[in-house]
Amino acid sequence: MPKYRFNNDYSEGAHPRILEVMTQTNLNQEEGYGNDSLSQQAERLLKAAIGNPGATVHFVSSGTQANLIVLASLLKPYESAIAAVTGHIFVHEAGAIEATGHKVNVVNTPDGKLTADLVRQVVAQHTDEHMVKPRAVYISNSTELGTVYTRADLESLARVCREKNLVLFLDGARLGAALTSAASDLTLPELAKLVDVFYIGGTKNGALLGEAIVINQPALQTDFRYHIKQRGGLLAKGSLLGAQFVALFSDDLYFELARHANATAQTLAGGLKALGHSFLADPVSNLIFPILPNALIRFLEDRYDFHVWCPMDEGRSAIRLVTSWATPADKVNEFLDAAKTWSERGS
Amino acid sequence: MPKYRFNNDYSEGAHPRILEVMTQTNLNQEEGYGNDSLSQQAERLLKAAIGNPGATVHFVSSGTQANLIVLASLLKPYESAIAAVTGHIFVHEAGAIEATGHKVNVVNTPDGKLTADLVRQVVAQHTDEHMVKPRAVYISNSTELGTVYTRADLESLARVCREKNLVLFLDGARLGAALTSAASDLTLPELAKLVDVFYIGGTKNGALLGEAIVINQPALQTDFRYHIKQRGGLLAKGSLLGAQFVALFSDDLYFELARHANATAQTLAGGLKALGHSFLADPVSNLIFPILPNALIRFLEDRYDFHVWCPMDEGRSAIRLVTSWATPADKVNEFLDAAKTWSERGS
Amino acid sequence: MPKYRFNNDYSEGAHPRILEVMTQTNLNQEEGYGNDSLSQQAERLLKAAIGNPGATVHFVSSGTQANLIVLASLLKPYESAIAAVTGHIFVHEAGAIEATGHKVNVVNTPDGKLTADLVRQVVAQHTDEHMVKPRAVYISNSTELGTVYTRADLESLARVCREKNLVLFLDGARLGAALTSAASDLTLPELAKLVDVFYIGGTKNGALLGEAIVINQPALQTDFRYHIKQRGGLLAKGSLLGAQFVALFSDDLYFELARHANATAQTLAGGLKALGHSFLADPVSNLIFPILPNALIRFLEDRYDFHVWCPMDEGRSAIRLVTSWATPADKVNEFLDAAKTWSERGS
Amino acid sequence: MPKYRFNNDYSEGAHPRILEVMTQTNLNQEEGYGNDSLSQQAERLLKAAIGNPGATVHFVSSGTQANLIVLASLLKPYESAIAAVTGHIFVHEAGAIEATGHKVNVVNTPDGKLTADLVRQVVAQHTDEHMVKPRAVYISNSTELGTVYTRADLESLARVCREKNLVLFLDGARLGAALTSAASDLTLPELAKLVDVFYIGGTKNGALLGEAIVINQPALQTDFRYHIKQRGGLLAKGSLLGAQFVALFSDDLYFELARHANATAQTLAGGLKALGHSFLADPVSNLIFPILPNALIRFLEDRYDFHVWCPMDEGRSAIRLVTSWATPADKVNEFLDAAKTWSERGS
């Protein structure tokens, strides 16, 4: 029997209500390439949820695709994007951004969050045409370390971006988990007002695939479909993406799923804290990074699938545990029981 | 009420048997990024169907994505691909191939098919480092004009490719329709033996999305997943693609759907021929291009959706009619009745 | 002893007056990367010659470099350049433009000249995001066939560019020969007013290397040095380029050299016409394409170096003869004598 | 009167013996694009100096051009180059490498030198297709901090490269200064044996422009001229580059000039040490980085041009002083006198 997987939030397929909309609309004849009625309905729902009727919305297949298309659309050849050293575009996209011709300027941050000061430092270091010219600021919310941006964080980044003529682009592959985190004081419309471009991730929050790119700034909206097409991101049956976002943004499903993911992760975090373990970064969303004794990690690895993130000291490492809309409460409890058992029997 | 659409083969969603496999496996926990059990099962089914156990199979989301990833993997920066002037990569991909840095060398062909002689001419014209160096030959089967390659055609292209050190790459977005065409004398394994890389199109033959790239030549297989990832083509929930190809390559579904698409197109073609109309290219698959009086075209446009392809002479134009696995016989008959009515009433 | 070369206009080094300025200023300490006093002086001389004080001027090393830097600066990723099928960027730059990510849309023209109608046709064919979006019009003056644009030609192109929101970019690798051609009714300031960006070729008109890019439109001037640097075109010792253009644009040297090149070519053309030969394109500048019997071509090839351009019919081919500032009158006369001798002795 | 410049080694034009060869051969008719007799003679001289008759040699215009052409030729789309954080390709080329589609993996080093251990760490961190695949190791000798690689350093790097299937590429923009440094125990042939590709810088050692790329590994030599042409680096009058390297590699001129540059820098370094100043990095070549009181720096800035590199502590900063083949001894002495005067008068 396979081990239960806590290693990501995309191990299962789609939430049943998403499959339902797909199935119900399956045999309708629709216009191709995203001009179908479901994509249009999804766009309306999203614009209402965001509170910006002037935004444009485009659906693409994956986070890497969203990132490379957005950045390729934003940047002139010599312009670059600023990102945290943990940023998905810097580490985990096989050089996708560079393949579109652009450098990623990277800064170290302890918690995966960019700050206005870090952005200012990068801009200050790039003074003339012998260097690239930073133009976009890339942040992930929640971050790759599971942390989230507060309103004050975003306001401060938005301010430095206006000041330095930078575009603020938010990777929301896990935006649901971010906005429903107890550590977040932001609503979707509030967040949307503070960024120029962002996307709302479907894949990691219950969809089969699909990220909804939202472009707030009219100047950045021009000809965006050309960019999608050129990078191979325009699906012939675009209604596949539209249908899923119709389901996600009906009856609050999107945030309901995210709340479940967060809640199960919080149960895990609480249980591990109670056992005396600390964390690599504040465990506030559905990605948590407990620091555990290596022997306990080996014990748990025999029973569960998860990533060992990095060694911390002689005897301990941080691991990454991820929950999702599909994580059952009993698996979380079993995991905690296993950890407790190991602790009680004196390691 | 919307008009019935004959304008493409991707107006509907998935064939029900595909949705079924997706639904049944929906809640299984799977490894991400194409390493799931369904993709592995699909790979086994495809390798068996192709008859090449040494091939590697990769699933991506769209035809443009398949084309750009394959060509980016095959070509050094100064190398180019030879294509017909009607080739999808030359006209209809928003410069996707050029965006990966490569020129497409284009040749005129009346029927959308490349020939060995045309390939030889392009190679002969490229003599030194002031020009690009042709390295790949790109063909579509069926072509963008609905014609198909015969065994002799492919053998002759394969020969010139070996002779000139070119890689033969076949875009099989409509491979089902090609191989089940009465004009084709090729089986899938026979075709596979003659090309270096090709893909088997799902999107235009019953899948929601998905193209199965097959790499026959071991030297071209290295690190292919890096290319997919870098271009944003690696889906987190890769089982979505695997599941669909499992369905398509079980119980001959793939070819069954293609036969239906061809048969309905042949009924249309036969009916229009019977009314005295000729064709831009031989109508042998599910894309047909009847040449009709402009007044008849206007009459039909009020009742059906289809593309007007190009003007032919003073009073006539070619239109494009496309059928699919989902085209009902009665819609075809109604279309022919309409055309007949118009003819009988003396235009 | 090597054969005399009529095969291009860059067989010799620099005109002595250019070497002189270089030698005189050789040991001055100068700011690097084009910010030296000679480049600044050259910029002033060029802006005066052009009659546009608002232009910016940048010096780069080669025509291919100028073309790729200018087009990379003008085009968004999905935008393309329209060019004649003989255009240098389409054929003879090893895919340099495509390597920056852009397609070249090509049209057939008998004489190497683009027309407003041809431009309109290309624009009309590109209707949506499945295709590239033409944005720049690339012309060469003189063309690769030695023909030149008249004022009416350029006005008509400028008009269609304004109308269709296209940028008109003129490759002036042989601009000296174009403007001093008897077939040209344009001055440099008149030409400069009609195009958005162009360059004044040094390499093929007496310099060791160097093309002066002139950007007339303020909106296109932003950050251009970043583009030059990024493509490896910013020379540390930029004064090498500045010094040469100071020499070329002092005392009318630039046009004096071009007039000499044209005059020697006209002597050749006149002599060959007198012997009854016709031409592939009107011989009006320093590139001429006489159509000669193949036996005569072989006879001349034993004595001179030149390109055989293309076969014309059973027994004749077009050859390309090129003269330059350095071509001595006696070599031209000897060539004509040889041709005459061959004709007189009854072939 | 302008201040004397210690800010780089390319403020003056060419060494007189270089200009002499250029002038003497100026009016010879030569084949274009690097196929001239001078480039061929230079190639022979260089291969003899390197001691590798199987190498190929190509001349290009600038260091950035050499770097981007070489790396674009070495790397597949998903492959990357490892460099020091001070590496020219990482900081000072306006994203030239990224513009060819490739990521630069960067590591911190105190002295600008990469080590085998640092290379191993980068390789170890790149484990699968979600990340780029390091393939080239880029080092500069001398480094951007004026330090030099010893034989042991290079042997160790060459070993890790063989072990990890990496290509070792050495940027020799200042190779003359490196090999004639007292800190170097390498000859040119010894160095050449240890690297796969490198270039010998002309621009910063007495030439007007020109870097000689040497490709030792036969497998990396294929079609290299295509790469040069595609990036705009093939000069029509290639003899301009050939002539300069003929001069540089005749009568030991190349190393003679480098020795002069090093000697003047050593005088500067010795004088500043004698005044009690320390250095950011060991001053062993023609780039030195003394750490001086800010008030002294301001005093010197009134008299000389040089770069202030970085603040070190409250009251002191590192500056960069560069000497060249053209630096006169008296300017060095005057500079030291000024520094001494300032110190003596009690700051």
Side-chain angles (χ1 to χ4, degrees), chain B residues 33 72 77-78 101 128-133 222-223 225-227 229-231 234, chain D residues 33 72 77-78 101 128-133 222-223 225-227 229-231 234:
Chain B
Y33 295 109
Y78 58 91
D128 65 36
E129 68 269 8
H130 292 261
M131 289 168 263
V132 293
K133 191 171 188 175
T222 314
D223 287 340
R225 280 172 59 83
Y226 281 87
H227 291 284
K229 177 64 192 171
Q230 185 176 63
R231 308 297 173 174
L234 212 52
Chain D
Y33 294 109
Y78 57 92
D128 65 36
E129 67 269 8
H130 291 261
M131 288 169 263
V132 293
K133 190 171 188 177
T222 314
D223 289 340
R225 281 171 59 84
Y226 281 87
H227 291 285
K229 177 63 192 171
Q230 184 176 64
R231 308 298 172 174
L234 212 52

Side-chain angles (χ1 to χ4, degrees), chain B residues 243-278:
Chain B
Q244 295 185 85
F245 276 90
V246 165
L248 284 169
F249 279 81
S250 297
D251 304 321
D252 203 38
L253 180 62
Y254 188 75
F255 292 111
E256 185 187 304
L257 298 185
R259 276 187 294 264
H260 178 85
N262 283 352
T264 43
Q266 291 316 301
T267 306
L268 273 177
L272 292 167
K273 264 187 216 165
L275 292 172
H277 303 298
S278 63

Side-chain angles (χ1 to χ4, degrees), chain B:
Chain B
M1 209 193 101
K3 296 182 267 185
Y4 188 77
R5 307 170 71 85
F6 282 110
N7 51 359
N8 62 49
D9 34 16
Y10 42 82
S11 291
E12 291 87 359
H15 186 271
R17 271 154 67 188
I18 291 175
L19 270 191
E20 209 175 291
V21 175
M22 283 170 52
T23 306
Q24 282 165 356
T25 57
N26 184 51
L27 292 181
N28 298 356
Q29 279 203 318
E30 292 280 0
E31 181 88 30
Y33 295 109
N35 295 320
D36 59 280
S37 67
L38 287 154
S39 296
Q40 285 161 355
Q41 188 186 343
E43 179 167 1
R44 282 191 301 272
L45 289 168
L46 282 164
K47 283 157 86 165
I50 292 154
N52 180 4
T56 56
V57 178
H58 301 273
F59 302 102
V60 298
S61 299
S62 73
T64 298
Q65 194 174 77
N67 287 331
L68 80 87
I69 291 172
V70 167
L71 287 173
S73 87
L74 293 178
L75 304 177
K76 290 178 195 147
Y78 58 91
E79 292 177 339
S80 63
I82 302 174
V85 73
T86 44
H88 205 260
I89 59 167
F90 187 67
V91 205
H92 282 107
E93 302 191 348
I97 306 309
E98 290 85 357
T100 69
H102 302 287
K103 193 186 193 75
V104 180
N105 296 122
V106 76
V107 291
N108 286 310
T109 77
D111 59 358
K113 290 165 64 178
L114 271 189
T115 65
D117 271 355
L118 290 167
V119 169
R120 256 191 209 97
Q121 280 168 32
V122 174
V123 172
Q125 285 155 8
H126 291 80
T127 52
D128 65 36
E129 68 269 8
H130 292 261
M131 289 168 263
V132 293
K133 191 171 188 175
R135 166 73 174 142
V137 170
Y138 166 91
I139 56 174
S140 315
N141 196 28
S142 62
T143 71
E144 294 76 6
L145 294 179
T147 53
V148 304
Y149 284 86
T150 64
R151 180 202 299 259
D153 292 337
L154 276 194
E155 282 174 350
S156 151
L157 281 168
R159 213 173 303 122
V160 75
C161 286
R162 265 197 310 279
E163 187 188 318
K164 301 292 184 189
N165 192 30
L166 301 168
V167 176
L168 185 53
F169 167 40
L170 186 146
D171 170 338
R174 293 190 174 95
L175 189 59
L179 291 179
T180 56
S181 162
S184 175
D185 55 357
L186 279 164
T187 63
L188 180 53
E190 287 166 351
L191 175 136
K193 251 190 212 91
L194 291 166
V195 299
D196 299 303
V197 185
F198 71 108
Y199 63 92
I200 301 174
T203 313
K204 290 167 178 170
N205 196 31
L208 285 172
L209 83 171
E211 315 292 304
I213 299 169
V214 180
I215 311 178
N216 287 315
Q217 263 207 40
L220 307 176
Q221 296 171 351
T222 314
D223 287 340
F224 195 76
R225 280 172 59 83
Y226 281 87
H227 291 284
I228 302 179
K229 177 64 192 171
Q230 185 176 63
R231 308 297 173 174
L234 212 52
L235 296 185
K237 299 184 180 173
S239 61
L240 165 62
L241 301 174
Q244 295 185 85
F245 276 90
V246 165
L248 284 169
F249 279 81
S250 297
D251 304 321
D252 203 38
L253 180 62
Y254 188 75
F255 292 111
E256 185 187 304
L257 298 185
R259 276 187 294 264
H260 178 85
N262 283 352
T264 43
Q266 291 316 301
T267 306
L268 273 177
L272 292 167
K273 264 187 216 165
L275 292 172
H277 303 298
S278 63
F279 291 80
L280 180 67
D282 228 15
V284 300
S285 67
N286 71 320
L287 270 72
I288 63 173
F289 296 78
I291 298 169
L292 305 180
N294 292 335
L296 171 53
I297 293 173
R298 282 189 297 272
F299 178 83
L300 293 168
E301 276 182 316
D302 287 343
R303 288 150 184 80
Y304 297 96
D305 246 340
F306 53 83
H307 288 290
V308 180
W309 198 249
C310 58
M312 296 300 294
D313 55 34
E314 200 68 351
R316 297 183 314 155
S317 300
I319 66 168
R320 188 182 85 158
L321 298 176
V322 189
T323 58
S324 81
W325 64 273
T327 309
D330 58 351
K331 291 297 174 190
V332 165
N333 294 332
E334 284 169 29
F335 184 95
L336 288 174
D337 287 347
K340 200 186 285 180
T341 306
W342 182 88
S343 304
E344 286 168 357
R345 75 170 196 212
S347 77

Side-chain angles (χ1 to χ4, degrees), chain D residues 41-63:
Chain D
Q41 188 186 344
E43 179 167 1
R44 283 191 301 272
L45 288 169
L46 281 165
K47 283 156 86 166
I50 291 153
N52 180 4
T56 56
V57 178
H58 301 273
F59 302 101
V60 298
S61 298
S62 73

Side-chain angles (χ1 to χ4, degrees), chain C residues 8 17 62 76 82 85 103-104 109 111 137 155 200 221 223 241 248 252 255 259 268 301 303 318 344:
Chain C
N8 61 49
R17 271 154 66 187
S62 73
K76 290 178 194 145
I82 302 174
V85 73
K103 193 186 192 74
V104 180
T109 77
D111 59 358
V137 170
E155 282 173 350
I200 301 173
Q221 294 171 353
D223 288 341
L241 301 173
L248 283 169
D252 203 38
F255 293 111
R259 276 187 293 264
L268 274 177
E301 276 182 316
R303 288 150 183 81
E344 285 169 355

